[in-house]
Amino acid sequence: MSLTITELPHKEQALFRTALKLYEVKQFKKGLKTCDQILKKVANHGETLAVKGMFLAHLDRKEEAYEMIKRGIDISPASSISWHVYGIVCRFDENYAEAAKCYEEALKADSENATILRELAQLYTQLRQYQKAVEVRTRILKINPDTPQYWLGLAVAHQMTGRNDLALNVISTHEHIVLDEGSPFKANNSNYRCDVSELLMYKNWVMELTGDYQMALDNLKEIRPRITDITAWKEQKAKLLLKLDRKEAAASAYQELIERNPDSNTYICGYLSCNGLDIGRAEDRDAVLEIVRGLQQQFPASSALKFLPLTFCDGDDFVKEADKLAKYALRKGIPSLFTSMKTLYENKTKGETLGRLVEGYASQLRDTKRFDDSSEDEPSSVSTWCTFYLAQHADYYGNHERALQLMETAISASPDTVDLYMVKARILKHAGDIGGARDVMDFGRQKDLNDRFINTKTVKYMLHNNEVDEAEKNMVLFVRDDASHKIQEIVETQTIWYMRERGHAYRRLGDIGRALKHFHQVLDSFKTYHNDQYDFHTYSIRKFTARAYVDILEWEDRVFEHPMYVDSAVSAIGCYVELHDRKAAGAPFEPVPVEEPKKPLTRNGASKSGQHNLAAGVGEAKPAAVDADPNGAAFVNAPSHLESALAFVEVLEKSVGSQAETHVTAFEVHLRMKKYFLALKSINLLRAIEADHPALVPMVVRINAALDADASFAAPMKAALKGQLAKAFGEVSIAATVGGHDTLLPFALAGARGLVSLGGGERVAQAKEMVMQAAAERFGESRTLENLVAARDLLAKSGASESERSAFAAEARKVFPLATCF
């Protein structure tokens, strides 16, 4: 029979409570010793064993910790303390689902424990189980109805389930606890005015969400004296007036907001809506333009008002508005003019018009040193910025030779302007001269060694050129001097662009282990972003910032959609698939060994031999921290590469299931794992997104071939799968699909990949023949640098000879004459 804490001897009871206090102040070693003292006297006390396991977990003795906790639970299965401890450790290990189960068990023994209930509500929110969060928070509120964070937390939970009416009812019922003049909350809160303001604005937002806009507007007027966030109040007022169709009053409110911030597109579009106008409607464009021009006169410094007409105007109106903006930016010497205009180039007519316009400026400045509508000579810098724009314009349309000629002209006129070298480097990169781009960017960097931005751009270009060590030297220049380990500092500060580019560089160099290591660093950073929200489930409610908190929850729901995450996950999956294929082919990848320094390096950055330690900080003579796995051996030696890849596939399917690349990537993993129904699901989802995707038919052919070759797969299931494929696609072949799209290079590349994956001498030869023609003129604009580089890599996989690769490179250089990457 197990003992509870109350059944322990008096001295051991005191020690147990001391252990709990030591945990709260993070004195884990002392807490462990205290638990051992208790267990010497009462060896089988389940709650003490569980608490001891909690201390072991925080001392990185995880395996021992879980064993100890489970032993404690076996002894005291009805103890809320043991289950609570188990939940804490699971939560510490970010296993939130298991932690929630433990808390539920703890509540069976102690249903009124507010701490357990509060933490369980946090876990349900983390797991997005909002209905369960509502139930738990309702129980908390019954226990302690006078604590603001409890009822505000319940209101937010109701909102997240879509029950805004219940959220409003909770706030209205309990807000007096905070708002009453004599409330204890006011007396003990130095931030009272701001807290009240946030609470009232949140309540008003919930009113709006219920759909009763008039009630929300009346309430907004009532609470005005107690609001500290005046801008938010004015925005809410304008929005509510517009929703109530009180357009004149709404226009006045938006006018007032524009006066506060004339560069807000939200305010400008709101003001236009008040006049019954929509930028997207062609019949409204003249009226919209008239209003925008009126606003331009009122707010001549507004960049948003200058640019907005370009998004909806065309013809002479577009030329007139573009002329005003371009001349203003050229005279001001704004380097980002082309970047700002680039979105307009999606409309071919607008892009060509902008090019002709600036060409005209350049001609006028060459002939008369002034614009045709000006009576004064322009500074020589205006001509330089015109040339600068035209170079980027030419680069956009793939005319790299002309772009570089223009950049040389601009640089000769202003050799100390760093922006010119940056754009020249970008043009060389687009032209395929990665080494030249890196050299130009580095030359520009040396023009201003204190410019952090161009330093990071140089690092990025060095990594594009696979110069990992040289990139590291430049990267650490701007890491704080007192960092004990500079590369580790970059990881800890979550510099994800660097980790991702470094991963791609190692992958191109063939070092899959290090590539995986850096891709995992990126992916772990996003996992940290997601897990870090946990503390905000209580902090934001306690601080009354419920509006911002709801935004956090919504942002966190989209965090794995970020392009950096998707790219790194797809790349990591590709690395794992390659490791699996190499192992299956009998040629497993061996991690690149790390050279051990002969002398230990110290944190002052130098060894006794005088060699600089790039990964060291300065100022201390202590051994620098050492990366336990610098070559990524742990990833290379993972028990199952496909299981490792599958973990990322599942995240991608959940977060970016609307993207075609997700299902192409998922198919590669599912097919190799012989999960044919999941592979078929990937095919069907890809087809639903893009019925004519280049990879679709090769995927169908490959799964059919895999089913034919797998004798161990149940015949009825095989027949069912093949029947579904036949019904959906009929008889398909890679050769026919490629032939039917003989002017589109992506189809030829996808077909070649499929044939190489199928294997066999005849298929691989057919793939090689397809790829050898990748630079053929019939492929037209689809012969992008990215596609031709992919073709180059496919040639290597298809066993092309050196002479064949040289022949392909010669043809590719006809498309990209400046390229050095073939």
Side-chain angles (χ1 to χ4, degrees):
M1 190 172 173
S2 64
L3 294 171
T4 65
I5 179 176
T6 56
E7 294 172 312
L8 282 172
H10 181 73
K11 180 182 177 182
E12 279 65 36
Q13 285 188 37
L15 286 171
F16 189 86
R17 294 189 179 94
T18 299
L20 295 179
K21 290 178 181 177
L22 288 169
Y23 176 77
E24 291 175 2
V25 296
K26 300 183 179 180
Q27 295 288 323
F28 304 129
K29 289 183 179 179
K30 289 183 179 179
L32 184 60
K33 289 179 180 178
T34 304
C35 289
D36 285 335
Q37 283 183 266
I38 299 170
L39 293 170
K40 283 180 182 178
K41 185 73 176 286
V42 188
N44 289 324
H45 186 238
E47 293 174 343
T48 302
L49 288 168
V51 172
K52 180 180 178 180
M54 181 170 63
F55 285 118
L56 289 170
H58 284 81
L59 292 170
D60 286 331
R61 295 162 64 179
K62 294 291 179 65
E63 188 174 340
E64 191 178 349
Y66 279 106
E67 183 182 340
M68 191 70 64
I69 293 169
K70 289 176 181 178
R71 184 179 157 203
I73 289 175
D74 288 341
I75 294 171
S76 305
S79 167
S80 67
I81 292 177
S82 297
W83 283 109
H84 188 189
V85 165
Y86 193 10
I88 289 172
V89 174
C90 289
R91 190 190 72 200
F92 179 69
D93 285 341
E94 297 166 359
N95 187 353
Y96 300 113
E98 188 65 27
K101 293 177 184 177
C102 295
Y103 276 85
E104 289 166 357
E105 290 293 329
L107 284 175
K108 291 178 182 178
D110 190 0
S111 61
E112 301 296 305
N113 189 311
T115 300
I116 296 175
L117 286 166
R118 184 181 65 249
E119 292 175 4
L120 180 56
Q122 288 178 256
L123 287 166
Y124 283 146
T125 305
Q126 185 80 7
L127 294 166
R128 298 302 188 264
Q129 297 176 7
Y130 290 121
Q131 190 55 54
K132 288 185 176 181
V134 166
E135 294 169 6
V136 172
R137 288 195 179 278
T138 301
R139 291 171 64 181
I140 300 172
L141 190 58
K142 289 178 180 178
I143 297 169
N144 195 343
D146 294 332
T147 303
Q149 55 260 41
Y150 292 165
W151 50 263
L152 186 56
L154 177 58
V156 172
H158 277 309
Q159 182 188 351
M160 299 312 293
T161 61
R163 293 304 305 272
N164 298 302
D165 54 334
L166 295 179
L168 180 59
N169 182 58
V170 169
I171 300 171
S172 299
T173 302
H174 296 88
E175 64 182 351
H176 66 89
I177 296 169
V178 173
L179 301 181
D180 287 353
E181 287 296 323
S183 72
F185 181 79
K186 179 180 180 181
N188 301 323
N189 188 354
S190 59
N191 204 37
Y192 179 73
R193 286 188 66 245
C194 290
D195 289 349
V196 166
S197 174
E198 284 293 325
L199 173 61
L200 293 174
M201 287 300 298
Y202 175 64
K203 178 185 176 182
N204 189 267
W205 180 37
V206 174
M207 283 183 182
E208 178 197 350
L209 294 175
T210 64
D212 193 337
Y213 303 133
Q214 186 59 55
M215 177 178 67
L217 183 61
D218 293 340
N219 173 260
L220 195 67
K221 293 176 181 177
E222 180 185 336
I223 65 176
R224 172 62 183 85
R226 306 191 74 170
I227 300 302
T228 58
D229 189 349
I230 304 302
T231 300
W233 186 90
K234 289 178 179 293
E235 289 173 347
Q236 184 72 349
K237 177 185 174 183
K239 186 166 59 171
L240 289 170
L241 286 168
L242 185 57
K243 286 185 175 182
L244 286 166
D245 206 30
R246 294 171 55 180
K247 293 182 177 177
E248 186 175 343
S252 177
Y254 274 114
Q255 174 76 24
E256 190 176 343
L257 285 167
I258 292 171
E259 289 172 3
R260 294 172 73 91
N261 181 10
D263 280 309
S264 169
N265 282 317
T266 301
Y267 298 165
I268 296 166
C269 291
Y271 182 76
L272 293 170
S273 298
C274 295
N275 291 275
L277 302 173
D278 184 351
I279 292 175
R281 284 201 302 261
E283 60 269 24
D284 289 350
R285 288 177 183 174
D286 290 341
V288 169
L289 183 57
E290 183 180 351
I291 289 176
V292 171
R293 283 175 174 169
L295 291 172
Q296 287 176 344
Q297 292 178 357
Q298 293 180 59
F299 310 103
S302 169
S303 298
L305 287 168
K306 289 186 180 75
F307 182 77
L308 186 62
L310 302 181
T311 62
F312 61 85
C313 286
D314 49 29
D316 292 340
D317 287 332
F318 177 81
V319 173
K320 185 175 181 180
E321 295 299 323
D323 180 67
K324 285 194 296 185
L325 176 56
K327 285 179 178 175
Y328 169 82
L330 292 169
R331 284 170 171 149
K332 287 284 187 181
I334 300 174
S336 60
L337 174 61
F338 181 82
T339 305
S340 301
M341 297 288 201
K342 193 173 179 180
T343 56
L344 302 173
Y345 276 67
E346 294 173 8
N347 182 314
K348 185 178 179 181
T349 302
K350 289 185 177 181
E352 292 172 349
T353 300
L354 288 168
R356 287 195 300 271
L357 195 63
V358 182
E359 284 278 12
Y361 298 157
S363 177
Q364 294 162 23
L365 292 167
R366 278 195 304 270
D367 296 341
T368 64
K369 296 185 179 180
R370 64 184 64 172
F371 294 126
D372 57 6
D373 59 352
S374 175
S375 58
E376 296 182 1
D377 289 353
E378 300 292 342
S380 59
S381 61
V382 176
S383 179
T384 302
W385 291 119
C386 276
T387 307
F388 181 64
Y389 184 96
L390 290 171
Q392 294 173 87
H393 175 84
D395 176 51
Y396 181 87
Y397 287 108
N399 192 346
H400 302 123
E401 292 88 342
R402 172 167 164 71
L404 288 170
Q405 290 170 2
L406 290 166
M407 284 310 306
E408 290 299 337
T409 302
I411 289 171
S412 64
S414 183
D416 294 324
T417 303
V418 172
D419 297 272
L420 304 183
Y421 297 98
M422 292 173 65
V423 169
K424 182 181 177 182
R426 189 187 310 143
I427 294 168
L428 285 168
K429 182 185 75 169
H430 294 165
D433 186 359
I434 308 300
R438 171 254 188 249
D439 292 340
V440 171
M441 189 67 80
D442 191 40
F443 186 81
R445 177 186 70 86
Q446 294 179 46
K447 292 285 183 179
D448 186 356
L449 295 174
N450 292 319
D451 189 327
R452 186 186 296 257
F453 179 73
I454 193 171
N455 185 74
T456 58
K457 293 295 286 185
T458 303
V459 169
K460 193 172 183 179
Y461 275 57
M462 287 175 173
L463 290 171
H464 287 172
N465 201 40
N466 302 334
E467 299 177 44
V468 179
D469 293 338
E470 193 66 23
E472 183 179 309
K473 288 180 184 178
N474 285 277
M475 187 64 190
V476 300
L477 292 175
F478 285 94
V479 176
R480 60 190 178 90
D481 289 338
D482 61 344
S484 61
H485 195 283
K486 291 198 170 186
I487 293 302
Q488 189 60 31
E489 179 77 5
I490 292 169
V491 176
E492 289 175 358
T493 54
Q494 298 173 328
T495 312
I496 56 176
W497 69 266
Y498 176 72
M499 294 182 277
R500 185 188 70 151
E501 293 294 347
R502 194 173 165 108
H504 282 305
Y506 275 125
R507 191 180 183 191
R508 287 190 294 269
L509 291 168
D511 192 341
I512 305 175
R514 285 189 176 91
L516 272 172
K517 180 181 180 65
H518 292 298
F519 289 137
H520 270 273
Q521 287 171 344
V522 177
L523 300 169
D524 288 345
S525 293
F526 278 92
K527 186 179 178 182
T528 300
Y529 303 157
H530 186 261
N531 290 330
D532 279 352
Q533 68 176 295
Y534 184 85
D535 292 332
F536 286 90
H537 299 321
T538 52
Y539 176 83
S540 297
I541 300 298
R542 192 174 73 248
K543 292 294 184 180
F544 284 84
T545 54
R547 292 179 300 153
Y549 174 56
V550 172
D551 287 343
I552 288 173
L553 294 177
E554 292 174 349
W555 180 84
E556 289 285 2
D557 288 340
R558 302 187 303 271
V559 69
F560 296 120
E561 299 174 17
H562 194 285
M564 283 273 196
Y565 181 88
V566 174
D567 176 77
S568 298
V570 169
S571 299
I573 292 166
C575 289
Y576 279 122
V577 167
E578 184 175 350
L579 287 172
H580 169 81
D581 290 349
R582 291 179 64 161
K583 188 175 181 180
F589 174 82
E590 295 294 334
V592 177
V594 180
E595 292 185 8
E596 295 291 338
K598 294 181 181 179
K599 299 287 185 180
L601 295 170
T602 59
R603 290 189 183 182
N604 63 9
S607 67
K608 290 184 179 180
S609 63
Q611 294 178 332
H612 185 69
N613 175 21
L614 296 175
V618 298
E620 297 181 13
K622 296 180 181 179
V626 178
D627 190 340
D629 184 23
N631 59 357
F635 305 112
V636 173
N637 298 324
S640 170
H641 296 129
L642 294 180
E643 287 291 345
S644 299
L646 185 62
F648 296 122
V649 166
E650 289 170 349
V651 176
L652 292 177
E653 288 177 328
K654 182 179 178 181
S655 56
V656 287
S658 60
Q659 296 182 14
E661 185 181 28
T662 295
H663 306 295
V664 175
T665 304
F667 174 84
E668 296 295 337
V669 177
H670 293 322
L671 187 67
R672 285 167 173 81
M673 297 183 79
K674 299 185 178 181
K675 296 185 176 183
Y676 300 119
F677 283 100
L678 290 177
L680 176 61
K681 181 182 177 182
S682 296
I683 290 172
N684 288 333
L685 289 169
L686 176 61
R687 187 186 190 193
I689 295 168
E690 189 176 345
D692 200 26
H693 190 280
L696 189 60
V697 168
M699 288 163 64
V700 173
V701 172
R702 286 174 62 194
I703 192 173
N704 268 315
L707 287 168
D708 290 339
D710 191 352
S712 64
F713 194 59
M717 298 174 71
K718 183 184 294 188
L721 276 168
K722 291 180 77 68
Q724 289 186 47
L725 288 165
K727 183 178 179 181
F729 297 97
E731 290 293 328
V732 293
S733 74
I734 292 175
T737 302
V738 172
H741 300 82
D742 63 349
T743 60
L744 297 173
L745 182 54
F747 280 86
L749 295 177
R753 288 191 193 97
L755 291 168
V756 170
S757 297
L758 288 167
E762 186 178 342
R763 293 192 187 101
V764 173
Q766 188 180 356
K768 182 170 66 176
E769 184 181 350
M770 287 180 182
V771 177
M772 283 296 293
Q773 300 175 43
E777 193 171 342
R778 72 172 185 273
F779 289 121
E781 293 183 358
S782 66
R783 296 176 298 173
T784 63
L785 183 65
E786 181 182 5
N787 283 339
L788 290 177
V789 169
R792 177 203 66 187
D793 295 339
L794 266 172
L795 273 181
K797 292 182 180 180
S798 61
S801 65
E802 188 64 35
S803 61
E804 287 172 324
R805 293 188 202 180
S806 298
F808 169 79
E811 292 299 313
R813 280 193 290 271
K814 292 179 182 178
V815 184
F816 289 92
L818 302 174
T820 59
C821 54
F822 299 116

